[in-house]
Amino acid sequence: MAIPLRNTIYDKIKEANSLTDIELYKSLTKDGHIIPEDKFNKLLLDLEILGLITVAWITKEERRIEAKVVEEEADSIEEQNKEMMEKDYEASFPGFEK
């Protein structure tokens, strides 16, 4: 089963962290992925809508593409609940003292 082109593009962006659309297109072509320009732009737009990359124009002809760093926020209430459940579990054993 072939890997979807969108995943291949995202992997290349993530690997480089930041590159231009021209560099990305050349890299894909070098790997044997010949993509029409409109499809290439659609795939970049899809990745941007999914929140995986950011695309910004740096010149009239060139765009900077960067992988977004996804940082998961720790839910403080969830953390408190987890700690309480662990303490309750530990306390459920007879003779357990901390």
Side-chain angles (χ1 to χ4, degrees), residues 12 23-35:
K12 285 194 173 291
E23 292 167 336
L24 176 60
Y25 195 82
K26 284 180 181 176
S27 175
L28 289 165
T29 303
K30 183 179 163 196
D31 290 350
H33 301 287
I34 310 299
I35 311 164

Side-chain angles (χ1 to χ4, degrees), residues 3-49:
I3 297 172
L5 198 49
R6 180 174 31 185
N7 294 18
T8 303
I9 290 172
Y10 179 63
D11 288 343
K12 285 194 173 291
I13 296 167
K14 215 166 61 170
E15 189 179 296
N17 194 38
S18 175
L19 71 170
T20 67
D21 58 338
I22 295 166
E23 292 167 336
L24 176 60
Y25 195 82
K26 284 180 181 176
S27 175
L28 289 165
T29 303
K30 183 179 163 196
D31 290 350
H33 301 287
I34 310 299
I35 311 164
E37 189 177 351
D38 60 337
K39 184 172 182 181
F40 178 70
N41 289 329
K42 168 84 171 75
L43 290 164
L44 290 178
L45 180 62
D46 289 348
L47 288 168
E48 192 170 22
I49 289 170

Side-chain angles (χ1 to χ4, degrees), residues 50-96:
L50 290 169
L52 299 172
I53 64 169
T54 55
V55 179
W57 289 97
I58 51 176
T59 69
K60 188 177 175 187
E61 302 288 324
E62 198 171 15
R63 295 171 288 183
R64 166 76 45 209
I65 303 165
E66 296 179 349
K68 276 192 177 178
V69 177
V70 180
E71 292 181 23
E72 217 172 280
E73 285 186 30
D75 185 350
S76 62
I77 295 172
E78 191 66 38
E79 286 294 317
Q80 289 172 358
N81 288 344
K82 186 177 174 185
E83 285 175 27
M84 195 59 122
M85 287 172 62
E86 286 173 2
K87 286 179 186 173
D88 289 347
Y89 176 74
E90 290 171 354
S92 68
F93 290 99
F96 175 77

